[in-house]
Amino acid sequence: MKNLPSTDILVGIHGGAGKLSESRYKGELLEDCKKALTNSLKSAFELIQKGATAVEAVESAVVIMEDSGCFNAGRGSVYSHNETHEFDASIMDGSTLNCGAVASVPEIKNPIMLAKIVMEESRHVLISGREALQFAEQYHIERESKEYFHSDYQLDRLKKIQAEDKFGTVGAVARDKYGGLAAATSSGGIVDKKFGRVGDSAIPGAGTYANNKTCAVSCTGEGEYFIRNVCAYDVSALMEYCNWSINKSADFVIFDKLASIHGSGGLIALDSDGSFCAPFNTPGMFRANIDSNGVFALEVFK
Ligand code: ASP
């Protein structure tokens, strides 16, 4: 199943696309991942039900996945080449086209919170590196030690530079009671990244995009290809300028444009009518959604 198509969806999330081998993701680990996805989705759903905005909902969904340690974001992030953690995250409000992002920031427990603060409290869109910590301090954003982010599994992966399940970024899209759409993405980047590498998750338009006129999108996969194709914005542009449906637009971006430059990954997209899709061209993508009745769907493999 390449898609999780549905209508009347309020919140959709992903926990990354990749090889996600069935031999690794089974038993307790698979259950933990599913539990984290379920908690994330439910928290966003409850917020929306209570009248929160789509921005608040996607932030909450992503924070829960960042804290879970199950995905390549926040606590579960991959190691860079220098055995450090550098986080990328971005968030976008489809009602105002306001967005905020952080790139290569260390130590921040919840990079998506910092991205939201950048959007709401600064006149900038994207801040990067260690200097971003000065900004975080002003807003009492929590920091964590190296030990908090340490995982034997991720360090082992760095050492082996496994080809398997390379991705695992998290993302969320939501629709609120006021017709607002929002998208958020958070990532540790790619394992063994070098030279201050920044991925699509930090770049509005590439890894994250939201516009109430069209859709909200969060991407996961080989970030370089998503940047080159401006994937998240491209889904919106196809809807806006070609009048294509969300499914057709998202499928075209993943199966035609991304594939044509040999990029791999996937995305989740939600439009203002509640149509949701989750195309990917990898063997698996953690993905889930919830509709306005609280009915919920979760898939991992194809
Ligand atoms: N897109 C992310 C990046 O390239 C990786 C991922 O989706 O896991 O940084």
Side-chain angles (χ1 to χ4, degrees), residues 17 72 88 166-169 187 189-190 197 199-201 219-224:
N72 173 21
D88 293 340
K166 253 201 307 203
F167 317 121
T169 290
S187 179
I190 52 171
R197 180 263 188 194
D200 61 315
S201 312
C219 301
T220 171
E222 286 177 275
E224 282 69 10

Side-chain angles (χ1 to χ4, degrees), residues 166-167 221-226 228-229 231 252-266 281-282:
K166 253 201 307 203
F167 317 121
E222 286 177 275
E224 282 69 10
Y225 295 89
F226 283 78
R228 287 165 60 191
N229 267 336
C231 285
F252 185 71
V253 167
I254 295 299
F255 300 117
D256 285 72
K257 294 189 80 172
L258 192 68
S260 72
I261 55 168
H262 310 293
S264 60
N281 66 9
T282 49

Side-chain angles (χ1 to χ4, degrees), residues 72 78 80 86-91 100-105 126-129 167 169 185-191 193-208 219-232:
N72 173 21
V78 295
S80 71
E86 290 156 16
F87 310 111
D88 293 340
S90 56
I91 190 163
V102 294
S104 297
V105 293
L126 171 60
I127 64 175
S128 72
F167 317 121
T169 290
T185 312
S186 177
S187 179
I190 52 171
V191 66
K193 62 183 180 181
K194 296 177 184 143
F195 320 122
R197 180 263 188 194
V198 172
D200 61 315
S201 312
I203 303 178
T208 307
C219 301
T220 171
E222 286 177 275
E224 282 69 10
Y225 295 89
F226 283 78
I227 295 171
R228 287 165 60 191
N229 267 336
V230 204
C231 285

Side-chain angles (χ1 to χ4, degrees), residues 3 66 100 121 166 232:
N3 264 341
E66 286 175 337
E121 306 293 341
K166 253 201 307 203

